[in-house]
Amino acid sequence: MRQRVVRVALTAALVALVLLAVPLALAIRSSLYAGQRDALERAALAGAVRVNPDYTRGDPAELPAAAPHQLLGLYDPQPGLRAGTGPRGGDDAVRRALAGKVARSSSGGELVAAVPVSHAEQVIGVVRASSPVADVRGRVLVGWGALGGVCGVALTVAVLVARRQARALAAPLEDLSRHCRAVAEGDLTARAAPSTVAEIDQVARTHNDMLHSLSELLRHERDFSANASHQLRTPLTGLQLTLEAGLAQDDARSALQEALAATRRLHETVEEVLRLSHTAGLPRPGAPVRPVGQLLAQAEERWHGLFARDGRRLEFAAADVPKDARVPGGPVAEILGVLLDNARIHGRGTVRVTVRDLDDALAFDIADEGTVTGDGVRLFERGHSVGEAGAGIGLALARDLAVSLGGRLTLAHGAPTTTFTLLLPVSRERTGVQGDAGQSGA
């Protein structure tokens, strides 16, 4: 591209110089020749003024001194040279001047100007001035040489400017090409830098936006895979244990009922993870709602046995929550599941789930007797786990689910006990917003 820009600029400069230089060169030549003829005519006229008319009766004729490289002579009507220098016989210019008009000609390698000398309305002689054509040609060549030098300087400047402009145009495109090559090799963090060319900047911004969208899409795909793997691991293990226990019993009806309930929970988990991947963590009003009491009862039924097998207590307290308070059932159940599983694996002692009424919102406090050290904000970053055995996925997933509901999940305090607080906007039956139609989303 750089060579192409230089070639285009050089071609344009050459065309412009030819269009300007050729007429200018012709003008220089014409001007120098015309100037020399004018100078000869002035010299001849000055000589004609000084000629004494009595020269025709034998008096000496006086002519002014000729300029360097000029010949100045007086010719009588015959015509013959009477004074000064020049050809002995008059040439065509002298014969035409004898007719009473100023004559100019170019012959024999000379420029000639002849002026008639008049007396009593008669032409009594002619003053002829001449100079070699080579003198004028030399000055013309000098002028053309100066013009050529100016053209050479102009071409040099044009090439330098073209090369600089080519670098300015090609460098951003080469940088963009390198970034595209890096992306093709798998580096999705490569970003094109801004340049001084608006059009190239627009392409770079479009490239960066496209790459950002692609990175976000891939991140959502990875997050979905990690979230699904993390959230399905525990239910699948429970389902496997239930089915194995049912095989060991004569009456497998209860085991099948438990397995069916676990399958429904698996379905809800998959639906929530898919919904979260589609909404990309953005608020999503209108999710199916259910009463808070029903939600807590289902959570207690699901998690009480797991904590009991570990010799730990699980307590729920929601005495001050109005009966008409409703929250999105599936997402909140997943968030509570993540927090309870986190408390079971990484926490200690009794786990308490407390629900507080804040008028237009509900606060879910999940507390255990363990401690958490470190930055409470970084705790929710994907890949950062509370304990060494964690994958760093659960809390990040719970935070994204809370944000998708228009709420917020925070670490209220990490010592001497650990408490996570989930704040959620609440709908109530008496307001007419999202009524009993959401109860079917169990």
Side-chain angles (χ1 to χ4, degrees):
M1 177 180 179
R2 297 191 182 191
Q3 294 181 354
R4 188 178 299 112
V5 172
V6 173
R7 285 197 299 269
V8 170
L10 189 57
T11 302
L14 283 172
V15 171
L17 288 176
V18 168
L19 294 177
L20 291 175
V22 170
L24 186 57
L26 296 176
I28 290 174
R29 181 182 182 278
S30 177
S31 175
L32 290 176
Y33 274 90
Q36 183 64 16
R37 289 190 177 97
D38 291 341
L40 292 175
E41 185 176 337
R42 287 193 300 270
L45 183 59
V49 171
R50 295 186 61 177
V51 171
N52 187 352
D54 293 336
Y55 92 94
T56 58
R57 294 190 290 268
D59 289 346
E62 296 182 359
L63 294 174
H69 305 291
Q70 283 187 0
L71 300 178
L72 190 63
L74 174 62
Y75 291 81
D76 57 23
Q78 275 61 38
L81 180 63
R82 294 291 298 272
T85 56
R88 296 186 64 83
D91 55 9
D92 181 65
V94 173
R95 287 190 291 270
R96 285 190 285 117
L98 287 173
K101 295 181 180 179
V102 176
R104 292 181 177 183
S105 67
S106 175
S107 63
E110 288 184 324
L111 295 176
V112 179
V115 177
V117 179
S118 300
H119 179 68
E121 297 183 357
Q122 292 183 352
V123 177
I124 61 175
V126 174
V127 176
R128 177 185 183 274
S130 64
S131 65
V133 175
D135 289 345
V136 183
R137 188 180 295 115
R139 289 198 299 247
V140 170
L141 293 177
V142 170
W144 285 358
L147 179 60
V150 172
C151 292
V153 172
L155 282 177
T156 302
V157 173
V159 170
L160 294 177
V161 173
R163 293 184 64 181
R164 180 178 179 181
Q165 192 65 25
R167 286 195 298 270
L169 291 174
L173 293 177
E174 292 170 354
D175 181 69
L176 182 60
S177 176
R178 286 194 297 270
H179 283 87
C180 292
R181 192 179 303 111
V183 172
E185 293 174 355
D187 183 10
L188 297 183
T189 62
R191 294 294 185 274
S195 66
T196 57
V197 183
E199 292 78 4
I200 298 179
D201 281 348
Q202 183 177 0
V203 175
R205 286 192 297 270
T206 303
H207 167 79
N208 291 340
D209 293 342
M210 177 193 66
L211 192 57
H212 175 73
S213 300
L214 179 61
S215 300
E216 286 298 307
L217 179 62
L218 293 177
R219 184 181 67 81
H220 292 155
E221 294 295 332
R222 289 194 299 267
D223 290 349
F224 169 75
S225 300
N227 293 339
S229 174
H230 181 274
Q231 291 301 102
L232 295 179
R233 186 181 298 113
T234 300
L236 285 175
T237 301
L239 178 60
Q240 181 181 359
L241 293 176
T242 300
L243 293 176
E244 290 176 353
L247 291 175
Q249 299 176 2
D250 294 335
D251 185 8
R253 182 178 181 82
S254 61
L256 291 176
Q257 290 176 344
E258 291 183 12
L260 182 61
T263 303
R264 292 196 185 100
R265 288 194 295 270
L266 282 173
H267 177 73
E268 292 179 0
T269 298
V270 172
E271 288 296 326
E272 289 306 317
V273 174
L274 282 173
R275 191 178 296 118
L276 178 62
S277 66
H278 292 160
T279 58
L282 299 176
R284 44 172 184 169
V289 295
R290 69 177 69 168
V292 175
Q294 177 186 351
L295 184 67
L296 295 180
Q298 292 177 351
E300 183 176 11
E301 177 183 357
R302 177 181 177 184
W303 290 95
H304 179 77
L306 295 174
F307 280 92
R309 278 200 293 266
D310 295 339
R312 297 171 61 185
R313 297 180 58 188
L314 175 62
E315 300 177 355
F316 287 82
D320 61 340
V321 177
K323 294 183 180 180
D324 61 349
R326 295 173 177 272
V327 294
V332 175
E334 290 300 322
I335 296 173
L336 291 178
V338 169
L339 296 176
L340 290 173
D341 188 56
N342 190 72
R344 183 176 68 89
I345 296 175
H346 304 291
R348 293 186 303 176
T350 301
V351 177
R352 296 178 177 84
V353 179
T354 306
V355 184
R356 295 178 285 122
D357 184 17
L358 303 178
D359 292 334
D360 58 347
L362 291 180
F364 292 77
D365 297 324
I366 295 86
D368 64 74
E369 298 175 3
T371 59
V372 173
T373 59
D375 187 1
V377 176
R378 189 166 180 265
L379 192 65
F380 293 95
E381 293 180 359
R382 188 170 293 270
H384 184 79
S385 176
V386 176
E388 295 180 357
I393 297 175
L395 290 179
L397 171 62
R399 177 204 57 192
D400 293 341
L401 286 169
V403 172
S404 72
L405 299 175
R408 185 173 72 252
L409 177 62
T410 59
L411 176 65
H413 49 79
T417 60
T418 299
T419 302
F420 289 91
T421 298
L422 171 65
L423 290 176
L424 285 177
V426 64
S427 62
R428 304 178 188 275
E429 281 187 336
R430 61 172 176 268
T431 63
V433 179
Q434 291 181 344
D436 295 338
Q439 294 186 20
S440 61

